[in-house]
Amino acid sequence: MEAKSSQPSNGIPEEQRRECAESALRCFGTAYIFERRAIPIRKRLRWLTFLGIAGPAALGAVVATFSLGKAALAISVGLVGIIGIGQLILSIWALVAKWDDGLAYYTESKSANYRLADEYAKLMKAQCLAPQEFDMQFKQLETEGRLRTELDQRQDITDQEKRMGMRAGLRQYQRACAGCKTVPVSLRATECEICGKF
């Protein structure tokens, strides 16, 4: 009795299509992780910029608008000074923690990973490609995906983030989790060891 072929009628190995599906899920999940990481940093930088402008601008507006006595002016300057000291400390911390660099990397990686996920998903569904063309595109994506993964692994992705990314990928591609056997319909954490507990 002949073994069943792992190749469909168009000659493209099913194993390569499965690898495309796995890579699409992984890239989508990674993109989601960095998208989530970027949100609080963007908010903090926005507040930092706001405080840096709002304090001096408010003092200038108060002085220009009202005739303040020495006591009221001293209080106003003191309040702006306190805000300024807080803003200075936050600015120093932002420089030390490299918020700008982190935000730039997360934004760039998010875009690259979403694009890779989309290209893997399109290739997985491709029906009109000759096997050689499919293989060439697959190898090109694999090379780009490996380089992206090497860069992303330097960002210390936690186990909780990996589970969050897995849930996002499973939900996006409507796939059942290997642990809880359900297709996620939301991004809320569950007790699953594979797609929850984040």
Side-chain angles (χ1 to χ4, degrees), residues 162-174:
K162 288 176 186 175
R163 291 191 293 270
M164 178 180 67
M166 174 63 76
R167 188 165 186 85
L170 292 170
R171 179 175 178 256
Q172 174 67 18
Y173 297 111
Q174 292 296 287

Side-chain angles (χ1 to χ4, degrees), residues 39-52 99:
I39 291 169
I41 293 176
R42 190 174 289 116
K43 285 180 182 174
R44 287 192 296 247
L45 288 171
R46 197 172 292 140
W47 271 106
L48 205 54
T49 304
F50 171 76
L51 289 173
W99 287 355

Side-chain angles (χ1 to χ4, degrees), residues 37-100:
R37 278 191 181 185
I39 291 169
I41 293 176
R42 190 174 289 116
K43 285 180 182 174
R44 287 192 296 247
L45 288 171
R46 197 172 292 140
W47 271 106
L48 205 54
T49 304
F50 171 76
L51 289 173
I53 296 168
L59 178 62
V62 167
V63 170
T65 306
F66 304 105
S67 300
L68 298 177
K70 287 185 180 182
L73 186 59
I75 291 170
S76 298
V77 170
L79 287 173
V80 170
I82 290 169
I83 293 170
I85 290 168
Q87 194 259 342
L88 177 63
I89 291 168
L90 282 173
S91 295
I92 293 169
W93 176 246
L95 287 171
V96 171
K98 298 184 178 181
W99 287 355
D100 283 327

